[in-house]
Amino acid sequence: MTSTPSDAGEGIDTGTDAPGETDATPSGTVVETGIEPWLRDILRCPNCRSELLDAQGESGPELHCTSAECGLQYRIDDGVPVLLVDEARKPA
């Protein structure tokens, strides 16, 4: 008997993602985050729980909160996202 995966695609690894894969932002800019794709998919803003977008900051790759009310910007150090609200930058 074989089981079929759920519609949500949980636990399915297609093998197409590689560590440190580049991700395209909505503006079409490619940002090298260095974050494993499986981890990147589950990260959320610790302040408001909104999704995070890949972005290029002044000092390197960052994750930006998608919430208009929050909008915090988190740096990525050597492929490790620093998701500390106290260390996040506020949008300009």
Side-chain angles (χ1 to χ4, degrees):
M1 179 176 192
T2 60
S3 62
T4 58
S6 68
D7 290 339
E10 295 175 0
I12 297 174
D13 182 7
T14 60
T16 58
D17 298 327
E21 177 178 304
T22 56
D23 296 314
T25 62
S27 64
T29 309
V30 176
V31 177
E32 172 64 46
T33 62
I35 302 172
E36 294 280 344
W38 66 268
L39 176 60
R40 178 63 195 85
D41 289 341
I42 60 173
L43 291 178
R44 297 292 180 260
C45 175
N47 188 53
C48 69
R49 307 289 186 244
S50 295
E51 290 188 31
L52 297 168
L53 291 178
D54 299 318
Q56 186 63 38
E58 298 169 4
S59 61
E62 295 180 336
L63 295 173
H64 291 187
C65 177
T66 57
S67 168
E69 295 82 33
C70 177
L72 291 176
Q73 302 169 354
Y74 303 93
R75 74 178 190 276
I76 300 173
D77 291 341
D78 298 321
V80 178
V82 181
L83 298 178
L84 301 172
V85 174
D86 292 343
E87 294 192 22
R89 289 188 305 117
K90 294 187 178 12

